[in-house]
Amino acid sequence: MENIENKIEKEKGVNVQLVLHILRHGDRNLDGTLEEYGRDRTKEKAKKSHLAGERFDAVKSFGSTAGPKTTIEGEDMEMQRSLETAYIFGREIAGDELYKTRPRDVLNYETMVLEMPFDYLEIHEDFANEYIRDVLKYENKSFDDLSDDEKKKVSEYADAKSVEHLMNLSTENATDTRKEIAGSFAVLIKRYARMVQEKLRSNQKLLFPLGSHTGMIEPFLAETVVWKDKDGNEMHGATLEEIGGNFKPSEGFDIILKTDQNGELEQVRIRFDDQTRLGGEVYLDMRKIDEFAEFYNELHDEENDGSVS
């Protein structure tokens, strides 16, 4: 007869697939909550997503808790913009079968220990005003005075310039900030990898939409992707330009955590919404995930011990 321990072991972690769909929050207004057209964009992204055609045993959304809360229409709950974006995406995929949406503080830039090398909100506003003044040619209009289409253009310009500024800074503080950001995702991925191997019932397929922010997604990918250039050379890490620039509102990518018939984690694949990003097969460098998770944990352990100001 089969050993009971072996039987129990086979009931968990074998042929399990967990898709982490990391997406940037939808279009937001100046107060940090989603614009209605931002919610609509997220719904359309979900409907057109390759994930909409896949079958999942469970769908559960998580997201950053940064920013102000807003009441969810038709629901007795309040959420911040990234959490709401993940909720909207998951709802479009799973309908009423969506499990209760939960916050993930590790995705929240407000929980970072290191101080940003510049005031992100201030520089973002400066770039927005630059576009309004120099491109739209408005002298006496603010962001709130613009049409929805103009707001989208202003936001996309300011987003791109702000992320470019973050990624191009070469100071020690900027480098460590990007490492901490990468580490926040790394900690989460390691947690879910253990869950896939040790906790989840065998032969399951799950989807977890994870709402995050521009300025966090890009540093993470830049440090951890493995891909091939046009000459077929294997590349570890990528520049912002190689990645394809900053992520647009509601745009995302999948991290596919999958175990084989022996319960071993397969090579972790990345699949972008925009398939022109990096081209071909893209994978996650798990050695870098270990490195950045260690950096993040040491940094936050020191903070919890009161030794980091």
Side-chain angles (χ1 to χ4, degrees):
M1 292 182 64
E2 184 178 21
N3 184 287
I4 185 65
E5 285 81 5
N6 290 338
K7 182 178 180 181
I8 292 172
E9 185 175 337
K10 288 181 181 179
E11 289 176 350
K12 291 182 179 179
V14 174
N15 295 323
V16 175
Q17 181 172 326
L18 172 57
V19 179
L20 305 177
H21 183 70
I22 299 173
L23 72 162
R24 185 199 154 177
H25 62 71
D27 306 83
R28 69 176 182 89
N29 54 38
L30 291 182
D31 72 6
T33 59
L34 293 179
E35 294 276 11
E36 195 56 43
Y37 61 79
R39 296 183 177 95
D40 292 340
R41 193 202 292 244
T42 304
K43 290 176 183 178
E44 286 304 308
K45 283 279 188 181
K47 290 174 182 176
K48 295 177 181 178
S49 171
H50 52 270
L51 297 169
E54 298 184 29
R55 182 176 178 180
F56 296 97
D57 295 296
V59 179
K60 186 176 179 67
S61 295
F62 302 88
S64 162
T65 54
K69 292 182 178 180
T70 187
T71 302
I72 308 302
E73 185 176 355
E75 302 286 350
D76 184 24
M77 64 179 79
E78 293 183 325
M79 294 182 188
Q80 300 87 347
R81 61 184 180 274
S82 292
L83 191 60
E84 183 182 358
T85 298
Y87 166 78
I88 292 169
F89 191 95
R91 182 86 176 179
E92 287 298 320
I93 298 294
D96 293 338
E97 298 301 312
L98 177 69
Y99 281 72
K100 187 173 182 179
T101 300
R102 295 288 189 184
R104 277 289 177 265
D105 285 342
V106 74
L107 296 169
N108 180 354
Y109 60 82
E110 295 173 341
T111 64
M112 297 292 109
V113 169
L114 297 176
E115 185 176 347
M116 282 288 287
F118 59 92
D119 189 321
Y120 196 94
L121 295 179
E122 182 178 318
I123 199 170
H124 188 278
E125 185 177 352
D126 288 344
F127 283 129
N129 289 332
E130 177 181 278
Y131 191 92
I132 294 170
R133 182 187 65 248
D134 297 342
V135 179
L136 297 180
K137 305 296 185 182
Y138 293 141
E139 293 294 335
N140 299 308
K141 280 191 176 184
S142 68
F143 184 85
D144 288 336
D145 298 323
L146 305 178
S147 68
D148 287 351
D149 186 57
E150 288 171 332
K151 287 180 179 179
K152 290 178 185 178
K153 292 177 180 177
V154 169
S155 294
E156 289 181 5
Y157 175 83
D159 290 342
K161 297 293 285 186
S162 300
V163 173
E164 182 181 330
H165 186 68
L166 172 64
M167 298 297 285
N168 288 340
L169 284 175
S170 57
T171 64
E172 182 178 355
N173 177 221
T175 299
D176 285 346
T177 295
R178 292 192 293 266
K179 287 172 65 177
E180 183 182 5
I181 290 170
S184 68
F185 286 99
V187 166
L188 200 61
I189 289 165
K190 285 176 67 69
R191 172 182 177 176
Y192 286 135
R194 288 194 300 271
M195 179 189 295
V196 164
Q197 293 178 281
E198 301 172 7
K199 302 292 185 182
L200 296 181
R201 192 173 66 250
S202 295
N203 303 306
Q204 284 195 103
K205 184 177 180 181
L206 300 91
L207 170 64
F208 288 0
L210 304 173
S212 188
H213 304 268
T214 190
M216 292 194 67
I217 290 173
E218 297 85 0
F220 164 67
L221 289 172
E223 297 285 0
T224 58
V225 291
V226 179
W227 58 291
K228 290 186 177 180
D229 66 14
K230 61 182 180 180
D231 298 320
N233 300 309
E234 184 171 279
M235 309 294 290
H236 290 252
T239 65
L240 180 62
E241 182 179 3
E242 288 169 337
I243 291 171
N246 68 296
F247 274 60
K248 305 299 187 295
S250 307
E251 183 185 358
F253 63 99
D254 302 330
I255 292 178
I256 302 171
L257 301 172
K258 188 176 181 181
T259 59
D260 60 20
Q261 60 186 3
N262 297 314
E264 297 296 324
L265 189 68
E266 296 183 357
Q267 191 172 17
V268 179
R269 188 159 61 94
I270 298 175
R271 180 174 57 187
F272 293 99
D273 287 355
D274 180 355
Q275 296 182 14
T276 65
R277 289 185 181 273
L278 293 177
E281 295 290 321
V282 184
Y283 296 94
L284 202 58
D285 187 336
M286 294 305 286
R287 288 177 298 181
K288 283 291 186 180
I289 293 298
D290 289 339
E291 175 187 331
F292 289 121
E294 182 178 4
F295 178 86
Y296 181 92
N297 284 330
E298 288 179 355
L299 196 61
H300 285 252
D301 285 346
E302 289 177 355
E303 170 69 8
N304 291 337
D305 289 341
S307 56
V308 174
S309 60

